[in-house]
Amino acid sequence: MSAKSINTNKQIQIGKMNCTQTILNIRYAMLLLLLGMGAAVMAGEWRLDGNTFRADTVSNVLLANGMEQTHIILSNDGGRKIQLFVVRTDLREKGLGVRSFSGMDMSHGLEEISHVMKRAAAGGKSYLCGVNADFFTFKDGNSVGSQVMDGEVLVNQDQDGWCYMGVTRRGLPFISKPTAFVSCVISGKDTIFVDRINRSHDKDEWAMYTGRYGSSTGSEPCPELVLCPTGRTSILSYGKPMRCKPVTLSTTGNCAIPDGCVVLSAPASEARHLATLSHEGRLKVMLDVDMPGVRSRDIAEMVGGRPLILSDGKPLDTMGELAHLPQLHPRTAVGYSSDRRYLTLMVVDGRSEQSSGMTGRELADAMSEAGCTEALNLDGGGSSSLYTARDGTVNVPSDGRERKVSNGIGIIRTGN
């Protein structure tokens, strides 16, 4: 081989290297641009309840295409510091979706978000991140409001003043305050209105239970009727009637809940009514909710919270809603942009020298600074926690460790 041939080959190789390096440089520059977009939006000065804070971006990482996590430190001239974490997701990005979750996948139960994520992964569902959602009771793990997961109503109860964040079956986010919840069993011209779904009930109330509640109803002695679905719909969903047939009538209470069935629990005074119902050939179970801005049958995921803090881009006056809102505490919020394309999850640390926490009004302004026009306050305090598959629990929970919570909302890979 001649020297000239060798030189030509070297030039070709060098050309390939330069071309490859150029492509890598372009890709790297694009990645930096993507990572810097959120930081550019969120850095600079933030105005929280009339006060100016300097926003310094500690880190900005890409959790997935169309999904970034930003760690921000806010500080003012008075020496106050606030640490917060923001996950912003492009809901138009293929392969990403929003899903709620609950402790142990039940209607009541407490579980750390990290445990939920790992358990979901073992079952084939890949969460990229998750935050706590509704307020709950420590005693029994009950969330205060209703919840929908994968289109199934886990809990249905009308809680005064509660708002809801969710997504439709098309993946569009919504935040709305319902005007009415309806649960009923229909037989011919007879309609029985049910007070609670998957919640313990008083002796003078009607209730309904599914396997999400447990293996049995846990009720005191009362008449109970097992209903078996017979149509295409086999789970309780809003706006989709479930046709059933009566199977077993019991009067001892604490009725077993067979797989795939529901149990209708009645007041003792309604024993004869329930006995008559047990002889019917067909029954229809109907759940519905009047949710302004969204059709009930379109609701795929939903969690509760209170109060609505940002609407149409304007912070709302919420100081009288809950006693802790005028105080500095850790906070969690969810919101979205005006075109409903970008969903934002925010967790604010508090109760430490490193981070003071926020008031409810400051949280509203912070969500606005993060690009939201609609936002809902979720449970805060020691419950506030952000978990990502990449880094685990990224914030510093005020309990000193991750708290078990009743439910939450997260971003999941859909596999599309």
Side-chain angles (χ1 to χ4, degrees):
M1 185 178 291
S2 67
K4 184 176 181 180
S5 297
I6 293 174
N7 290 336
T8 301
N9 287 337
K10 282 185 177 179
Q11 289 174 0
I12 292 172
Q13 291 296 324
I14 291 171
K16 287 182 178 179
M17 290 174 64
N18 288 340
C19 181
T20 302
Q21 186 63 47
T22 300
I23 292 173
L24 290 175
N25 287 339
I26 291 173
R27 288 179 176 175
Y28 183 64
M30 290 178 67
L31 177 61
L32 289 178
L33 179 62
L34 286 171
L35 292 178
M37 285 176 65
V41 172
M42 297 178 191
E45 289 188 348
W46 283 26
R47 292 284 291 177
L48 305 183
D49 197 13
N51 298 310
T52 301
F53 287 80
R54 184 178 68 255
D56 295 318
T57 300
V58 178
S59 64
N60 191 246
V61 297
L62 204 64
L63 298 180
N65 288 337
M67 182 181 179
E68 62 181 12
Q69 172 197 304
T70 309
H71 176 190
I72 301 169
I73 299 293
L74 302 177
S75 58
N76 65 9
D77 292 339
R80 186 176 163 202
K81 292 184 178 181
I82 309 171
Q83 175 170 260
L84 59 96
F85 297 83
V86 177
V87 174
R88 191 166 185 256
T89 303
D90 184 349
L91 297 181
R92 295 181 188 174
E93 182 71 33
K94 291 184 178 180
L96 298 180
V98 181
R99 186 177 186 264
S100 74
F101 55 84
S102 64
M104 308 309 296
D105 288 339
M106 303 297 281
S107 63
H108 63 293
L110 301 176
E111 188 177 12
E112 296 92 342
I113 298 175
S114 59
H115 289 192
V116 174
M117 304 289 110
K118 293 171 184 176
R119 184 167 50 77
K125 292 187 181 297
S126 179
Y127 276 95
L128 291 166
C129 77
V131 299
N132 62 293
D134 207 347
F135 297 77
F136 62 93
T137 58
F138 285 104
K139 181 181 178 180
D140 50 24
N142 286 340
S143 61
V144 175
S146 301
Q147 183 181 0
V148 177
M149 184 173 71
D150 292 334
E152 179 182 359
V153 177
L154 269 62
V155 180
N156 188 62
Q157 58 183 15
D158 196 349
Q159 186 66 33
D160 186 41
W162 239 241
C163 294
Y164 292 89
M165 181 275 157
V167 292
T168 67
R169 297 179 188 276
R170 292 176 55 203
L172 294 175
F174 66 86
I175 295 176
S176 185
K177 188 173 184 178
T179 58
F181 284 90
V182 177
S183 304
C184 62
V185 176
I186 302 170
S187 171
K189 295 181 179 180
D190 186 16
T191 300
I192 298 170
F193 290 96
V194 179
D195 300 289
R196 299 170 183 263
I197 303 293
N198 284 338
R199 283 289 182 262
S200 58
H201 63 291
D202 295 334
K203 61 182 181 180
D204 59 345
E205 292 181 320
W206 288 84
M208 190 177 297
Y209 300 93
T210 73
R212 293 289 187 184
Y213 186 77
S215 59
S216 64
T217 64
S219 60
E220 297 294 330
C222 67
E224 294 181 312
L225 180 62
V226 177
L227 306 177
C228 180
T230 59
R232 294 181 180 179
T233 302
S234 59
I235 62 172
L236 294 179
S237 299
Y238 287 128
K240 296 184 177 182
M242 185 171 74
R243 301 188 184 283
C244 303
K245 66 177 181 179
V247 177
T248 307
L249 179 65
S250 170
T251 59
T252 59
N254 195 26
C255 179
I257 307 173
D259 290 343
C261 296
V262 299
V263 175
L264 182 62
S265 187
S269 59
E270 296 287 350
R272 182 174 296 179
H273 192 173
L274 198 64
T276 301
L277 210 63
S278 69
H279 296 294
E280 293 284 345
R282 290 184 301 176
L283 300 173
K284 184 168 63 176
V285 175
M286 183 72 182
L287 272 61
D288 212 345
V289 57
D290 185 3
M291 190 80 71
V294 60
R295 293 194 310 171
S296 61
R297 64 184 293 110
D298 291 337
I299 298 174
E301 310 287 338
M302 191 177 80
V303 291
R306 180 183 181 186
L308 181 65
I309 56 176
L310 190 65
S311 181
D312 198 24
K314 299 177 182 178
L316 302 178
D317 182 7
T318 60
M319 291 300 98
E321 289 264 358
L322 298 171
H324 60 73
L325 287 175
Q327 304 166 0
L328 298 176
H329 290 292
R331 304 282 178 187
T332 302
V334 60
Y336 51 85
S337 58
S338 58
D339 57 2
R340 297 205 285 179
R341 176 172 180 172
Y342 296 98
L343 183 79
T344 296
L345 302 173
M346 180 180 289
V347 167
V348 180
D349 282 339
R351 300 176 182 171
S352 71
E353 293 182 1
Q354 289 71 37
S355 184
S356 67
M358 287 184 180
T359 66
R361 173 56 194 268
E362 288 176 337
L363 183 66
D365 286 335
M367 290 296 283
S368 178
E369 293 282 1
C372 297
T373 57
E374 310 291 325
L376 177 66
N377 177 64
L378 301 174
D379 189 17
S383 297
S384 287
S385 187
L386 168 62
Y387 181 89
T388 71
R390 180 183 184 275
D391 297 317
T393 303
V394 298
N395 71 307
V396 183
S398 63
D399 284 354
R401 63 184 183 279
E402 191 183 2
R403 177 184 286 181
K404 293 181 178 181
V405 296
S406 177
N407 63 25
I409 193 83
I411 305 300
I412 194 169
R413 289 194 185 276
T414 61
N416 294 337

